[in-house]
Amino acid sequence: MNQATGQVAMLNQAALAACAAGLAEEALPLALRALELASQAAPLESLASALSTFAHVQANLGEFETAEQVHQQALLKAQESGNGPALVRCFANALMAGVLAFDELLAGGKTLLAQASSMRLLPLAQQANSLLDMSFMSDAQRAILRLNVGHALMNAQRFEEAGRLFHDSLQLLADSSSEVLHYSAAHALCELDLRCGHLASAQQRLQEMLSMRSVSLNPLQREDFLRTAMALCQALKEQEQSLKYGVRLSQVLAEQAQKRQRAALQIRAVRASSQVLLAAASEAAGSDSRRPEPDNPELAPR
């Protein structure tokens, strides 16, 4: 690992950690710096990861159109590199961004646009389906990719396939100590049960999520939970409880709006420089000197 590659990896990790903590606006300069370094000297898999991280931050800031375009670039570079872990990361992040975009459209009452978004994401989910059990992946990584693919399939109303992946993820997490991952799997199954009309099962999953009191949720996770809980209470005709969840959701959304307003200044400030870097990244030649031997022949470029 050369110096540039190490710096890119550290900046990517810092940006992703900031997003996970609900601090996407703080992640933006980190992701931009990683992209700058990767465009200059890092090998293709590092460039792919930096592009994917930058797109992930954009999605967390609500810039979904930009995120989708940059994720396409990231996937192309990952495929060119033949690097399995980079390709899996890029697919996972791209699917997550697509799911966030769907949720945003649906929450805004734009049902037809949400459906179109889900169908646009479906081919990506089907491609990622072939990567679910790559040999280099840990059980936690397999579970995360299954959750992301499952969400995309669920949004496209492929409920049976999504359910299998969600249940598989729970089995893979049986020995995991990560409460956040257990929570994510329970939430996915709760949402699936709700969409399928299995209200008793959804209610049981909701209680399971409520029992995980030590799990620290970021703002997007809190928003997702409150939307699911409110919708379930409405389906169960529990109007008073639904109203309580609705009030809390309004507070979370107001906080998110304030953050996005602050982040808008940063987005405008970095837009010009990011466009230059993205253009440079798209023209990266990927010559033999930058192209490592594929670490997994199943993912080597054809």
Side-chain angles (χ1 to χ4, degrees), residues 16 127 143 146 164 180 207 238 243 265-266 271 298:
L16 292 172
Q127 290 177 58
R146 278 169 168 76
R164 282 199 298 269
V180 172
Q207 292 303 317
E238 296 177 358
L243 183 60
L265 298 173
Q266 282 185 295
R271 183 163 286 154
E298 294 178 69

Side-chain angles (χ1 to χ4, degrees), residues 18-292:
C19 279
L23 301 171
E25 66 275 13
E26 295 184 17
L28 187 57
L30 297 171
L32 190 65
R33 178 58 180 155
L35 183 56
E36 182 182 9
L37 287 172
S39 299
Q40 293 170 353
L44 274 180
E45 68 269 22
S46 289
L47 178 57
S49 294
L51 284 164
S52 183
T53 299
F54 183 75
H56 179 76
V57 174
Q58 292 288 320
N60 275 261
L61 290 169
E63 299 286 314
F64 296 114
E65 187 175 340
T66 300
E68 184 176 354
Q69 293 169 358
V70 180
H71 274 307
Q72 289 173 357
Q73 269 187 271
L75 283 164
L76 179 63
K77 294 303 175 189
Q79 288 164 346
E80 288 177 8
S81 77
N83 185 280
L87 188 60
V88 167
R89 281 194 299 272
C90 289
F91 266 110
N93 285 341
L95 287 167
M96 186 184 298
V99 170
L100 286 175
F102 174 89
D103 290 344
E104 183 91 355
L105 290 167
L106 202 61
K110 301 174 181 176
T111 307
L112 291 178
L113 287 175
Q115 290 173 347
S117 170
S118 71
M119 297 313 295
R120 213 165 51 244
L121 193 63
L122 186 57
L124 196 67
Q126 292 169 329
Q127 290 177 58
N129 209 38
S130 65
L131 305 175
L132 292 175
D133 291 304
M134 302 306 291
S135 59
F136 56 81
M137 295 169 69
S138 66
D139 283 347
Q141 290 171 326
R142 290 187 172 95
I144 291 168
L145 189 57
R146 278 169 168 76
L147 289 172
N148 290 348
V149 173
H151 273 291
L153 292 173
M154 178 173 66
N155 290 346
Q157 298 187 3
R158 305 277 282 267
F159 296 135
E160 188 175 341
E161 296 168 74
R164 282 199 298 269
L165 290 173
F166 292 158
H167 283 287
D168 284 353
S169 70
L170 270 183
Q171 291 180 348
L172 287 165
L173 294 171
D175 297 325
S176 172
S177 60
S178 172
E179 289 188 331
V180 172
L181 289 180
H182 282 283
Y183 171 89
S184 296
H187 189 181
L189 284 165
C190 178
E191 192 172 348
L192 179 64
D193 284 335
L194 177 58
R195 294 197 196 184
C196 293
H198 303 153
L199 301 186
S201 180
Q203 193 171 26
Q204 185 178 349
R205 296 287 181 190
L206 183 66
Q207 292 303 317
E208 183 182 344
M209 291 154 64
L210 287 168
S211 69
M212 300 181 188
R213 298 186 182 279
S214 61
V215 177
S216 179
L217 302 181
N218 66 38
L220 286 176
Q221 290 169 325
R222 283 201 299 275
E223 180 183 336
D224 285 344
F225 168 79
L226 291 169
R227 286 192 192 282
T228 302
M230 185 174 69
L232 178 57
C233 289
Q234 287 172 344
L236 293 168
K237 312 295 185 189
E238 296 177 358
Q239 299 304 329
E240 185 178 346
Q241 189 61 42
S242 174
L243 183 60
K244 289 179 180 177
Y245 282 126
V247 170
R248 289 167 60 189
L249 177 60
S250 297
Q251 294 170 342
V252 170
L253 290 175
E255 292 171 4
Q256 289 287 84
Q258 289 177 349
K259 283 188 174 182
R260 285 186 177 179
Q261 206 169 28
R262 291 196 301 269
L265 298 173
Q266 282 185 295
I267 292 170
R268 284 197 292 271
V270 304
R271 183 163 286 154
S273 55
S274 66
Q275 286 174 346
V276 171
L277 290 172
L278 291 171
S282 68
E283 294 170 3
S287 63
D288 290 341
S289 63
R290 297 184 66 193
R291 187 189 298 271

Side-chain angles (χ1 to χ4, degrees), residues 3-16:
Q3 186 176 4
T5 301
Q7 288 178 324
V8 169
M10 286 191 296
L11 287 164
N12 282 338
Q13 288 173 359
L16 292 172

